[in-house]
Amino acid sequence: MIYRVIGLMSGSSLDGLDIAFTEFQEMGGKWSYSLIAAECLPYPAAWTERLAGSIQLPAKAYQLLHTAYGRFTGELVNRFIAEKGLEHQVHFIASHGHTTFHEPASGMTAQLGDGAAIAAVTALPVISDLRSMDVAAGGQGAPIVPMGEKWLFPGYQWFLNLGGIANISCHRDGQFTAFDVCPANRVLNLLVEPLGKAYDDAGAIASGGIVHPELLQALNALAYYRQAPPKSLANDFGTDLVFQLIKKYNLPVADALCTMVEHIAWQLSRAVSGQEPVGRIQNGAGAMPMLVTGGGAFNHYLVERIAALLTPHGVAPFVAESGLVQYKEAIIMGLLGVLRWREEYNALASVTGAARNTINGALWLGGEA
């Protein structure tokens, strides 16, 4: 079977809407994919501000934003289809939405971007709300990309996504374990805003700073890092806790960035060491490649520091080709939509801690009968 799907992903870094038009093929239980067209459409400043402040809104204003962002998303998809010449080629859309509230311990997760509004604007079927069933079944609702990693990248055991939040996946003995490790790009981007920059290009500023030992110790002592997986992070852990903690030290921007980079690398090292059997390198096995994607993969200094701390654990970060680095999550949202369309499991209980594997996604039929 062949499915041609637009996958949508809006990450916590607020850099824009990732759109990936992908062809998926299933033959004999094996999946392959081809990325046909993709683009990140940056958010206008007004939309960045609205999304960033969404969790502070009263209930009615939040719901109005949910609908408005859905219509805005649909308009961006229509523009993408027209510019890429994809009319009458898209089977359906799978939209992740933009995560706002995420409290799995209370049985709740919320993503902005009304699927019905997207369907109405595009006149295409839309699958949205890709986390809620897992959360209702007692899971974290995150990470959800390991199902896509399982089917699309079977040759790897380790995966790292460096987005607004850094998360890892490990595939061993037929089982996936995966969890959110720590904030990443969202905090790094906030730290460079006083310099009038959107991000630290290639980590050039961070590489010129020095690590502040006291701040690094305070960051590494945060309670989340003592929790055992499965576990997941809401965006406000980075913006309201980590970023605010860094600000209290009143460091030069370069030193704050350098310390945050070291914090990310240190936490990833700690996470990997808890997943990988001890003694594998000593027994003669070489380092296993870790496929690195997400915007942080372009931060050379960050990847360099991660590699320095992971290599002793037998794991070597390997940055994927640029298309996969940028659009892996949007591609996988497309596959999760395909699995929902086929009424097959698209969330793994071994990853999220749910009572069972689940089928996630609400289906909205946007075309005329």
Side-chain angles (χ1 to χ4, degrees), residues 17-62:
L17 181 69
D18 288 340
I19 307 179
F21 179 51
T22 308
E23 180 177 285
F24 299 98
Q25 184 170 6
E26 185 270 333
M27 293 184 64
K30 295 184 178 181
W31 289 88
S32 61
Y33 78 97
S34 176
L35 180 61
I36 299 172
E39 188 173 359
C40 178
L41 298 179
Y43 290 129
W47 268 109
T48 300
E49 185 177 345
R50 293 177 76 181
L51 293 175
S54 59
I55 63 173
Q56 309 300 330
L57 295 174
K60 182 178 179 180
Y62 179 89

Side-chain angles (χ1 to χ4, degrees), residues 52 171 208 213 236 270:
H171 185 203
D236 57 7
R270 187 170 181 265

Side-chain angles (χ1 to χ4, degrees), residues 102-183:
H102 183 67
E103 297 183 12
S106 302
M108 185 274 287
T109 186
Q111 285 76 42
L112 288 170
D114 181 18
I118 301 172
V121 171
T122 62
L124 287 166
V126 172
I127 294 170
S128 62
D129 201 9
L130 292 167
R131 298 181 186 268
S132 289
M133 189 64 233
D134 179 84
V135 172
Q140 292 287 311
I144 58 174
V145 296
M147 180 63 84
E149 293 165 345
K150 172 184 177 181
W151 290 118
L152 300 182
F153 311 104
Y156 287 91
Q157 286 186 275
W158 285 98
F159 302 89
L160 168 61
N161 180 65
L162 290 171
I165 294 170
N167 53 64
I168 63 167
S169 305
C170 179
H171 185 203
R172 186 171 60 239
D173 300 327
Q175 291 290 318
F176 261 100
T177 55
F179 53 94
D180 290 341
V181 176
C182 62

